[in-house]
């Protein structure tokens, strides 16, 4: 009797997670270049062909942890309330990530998270693949902002801002500070950066605090933020 589809899918997810967890554990202990695919397969107790069915390259084993965030900026814009400007929605989303100390914002001081980011940032092949992820996010965001060059320029600015903010937060923590200590600066940096994006998007009014305490592009509809 064949297994139910749902059970097979859950087994695949568990296998994928087990392989990725084994790989990251080895990478953090030895360094990315010092670990072979055979080492990972042995630790995960799978064959090399099985490993490659789940992950085409060694780099994919690391960047799997970013998979949930692929296309996230585009989803935030696409799923926002119509009365909320795209940049405001993105700003609120990033601030919410800071409030939750999400690793993707760089504001997380768990030792494994700090070491994981150090591994990604200091390994050329991983940094290169992460850049490709960001370019994919940029393309997805541009597609929901505006099909022309204006959308591509705005998407590039947003993704660059998020990257710089996250890298800055991580560096402060890597230098020995706690996430709670860095958080006020991270919030101020995010508010400043997204306020600048409001202006860059064509907003001539100064950004003002919304009721939530987050900076908004006040009084601007989507068509005013991104004039056609």
């Amino acid at each position: 009797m064949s297994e139910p589809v749902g059970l097979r899918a859950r087994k695949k997810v568990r296998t994928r997670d087990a392989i990725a967890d084994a790989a990251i554990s080895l990478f953090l202990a030895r360094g990315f270049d010092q670990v072979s695919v055979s080492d990972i397969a042995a630790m995960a107790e799978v064959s090399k062909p099985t490993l490659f069915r789940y992950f085409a390259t060694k780099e994919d084993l690391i960047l799997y942890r970013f998979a949930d965030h692929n296309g996230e900026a585009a989803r935030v814009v696409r799923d926002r309330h119509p009365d909320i400007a795209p940049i405001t929605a993105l700003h609120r989303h990033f601030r919410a990530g800071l409030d939750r100390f999400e690793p993707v914002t760089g504001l997380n001081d768990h030792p494994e998270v700090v070491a994981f980011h150090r591994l990604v940032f200091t390994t050329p092949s991983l940094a290169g693949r992460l850049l490709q992820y960001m370019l994919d996010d940029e393309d997805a965001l541009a597609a929901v902002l505006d099909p022309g060059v204006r959308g591509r320029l705005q998407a590039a600015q947003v993704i660059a801002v998020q990257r710089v903010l996250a890298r800055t937060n991580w560096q402060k923590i890597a230098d020995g500070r706690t996430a709670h200590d860095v958080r006020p600066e991270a919030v101020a940096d995010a508010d400043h950066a997204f306020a600048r994006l409001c202006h860059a998007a064509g907003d001539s009014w100064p950004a003002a605090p919304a009721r939530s305490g987050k900076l908004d592009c006040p009084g601007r509809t989507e068509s005013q933020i991104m004039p056609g």
Side-chain angles (χ1 to χ4, degrees):
M1 180 181 297
S2 62
E3 292 179 324
V5 173
L7 179 58
R8 290 201 301 272
R10 289 194 296 273
K11 283 186 174 181
K12 287 182 178 180
V13 170
R14 287 196 296 269
T15 300
R16 181 183 293 271
D17 287 345
I19 295 171
D21 289 347
I24 290 169
S25 176
L26 288 171
F27 293 150
L28 293 179
R30 304 181 194 173
F32 183 78
D33 293 329
Q34 283 68 48
V35 176
S36 70
V37 172
S38 296
D39 294 333
I40 299 165
M43 184 169 182
E45 298 182 337
V46 298
S47 67
K48 286 176 63 175
T50 296
L51 186 152
F52 282 121
R53 280 202 299 271
Y54 286 93
F55 298 97
T57 69
K58 275 177 66 178
E59 288 78 11
D60 290 338
L61 287 156
I62 280 282
L63 297 179
Y64 175 57
R65 287 199 173 179
F66 292 99
D68 289 344
H69 298 286
N70 281 359
E72 188 167 67
R75 290 192 296 273
V76 168
V77 171
R78 186 171 54 246
D79 297 342
R80 79 193 190 285
H81 190 280
D83 292 337
I84 298 176
I87 292 175
T88 298
L90 290 162
H91 181 194
R92 291 178 177 179
H93 182 76
F94 192 86
R95 280 286 303 267
L98 293 176
D99 292 343
R100 294 189 295 268
F101 296 96
E102 290 186 354
V104 73
T105 67
L107 192 65
N108 187 295
D109 55 13
H110 189 286
E112 184 175 311
V113 172
V114 177
F116 176 84
H117 282 119
R118 179 180 290 108
L119 179 69
V120 172
F121 294 148
T122 60
T123 305
S125 60
L126 293 174
R129 287 300 297 274
L130 181 58
L131 175 60
Q132 184 58 56
Y133 267 54
M134 291 179 176
L135 291 175
D136 292 343
D137 280 347
E138 184 181 310
D139 288 343
L141 179 57
V144 298
L145 286 175
D146 186 295
V149 68
R150 184 181 290 110
R152 297 196 66 82
L153 290 171
Q154 289 188 333
Q157 290 174 325
V158 168
I159 299 302
V161 160
Q162 293 179 337
R163 174 181 58 80
V164 171
L165 291 173
R167 181 69 180 263
T168 299
N169 295 338
W170 169 81
Q171 188 62 63
K172 290 176 181 179
I173 292 171
D175 288 341
R177 298 173 62 186
T178 68
H180 285 278
D181 179 42
V182 172
R183 184 180 178 277
E185 296 168 24
V187 169
D189 288 344
D191 288 349
H192 174 74
F194 279 93
R196 299 295 296 176
L197 285 178
C198 285
H199 293 292
D203 180 17
S204 60
W205 295 356
R211 293 179 183 177
S212 62
K214 302 176 179 64
L215 290 176
D216 273 327
C217 295
R220 291 302 197 233
T221 64
E222 180 175 356
S223 61
Q224 289 172 307
I225 289 293
M226 297 181 297

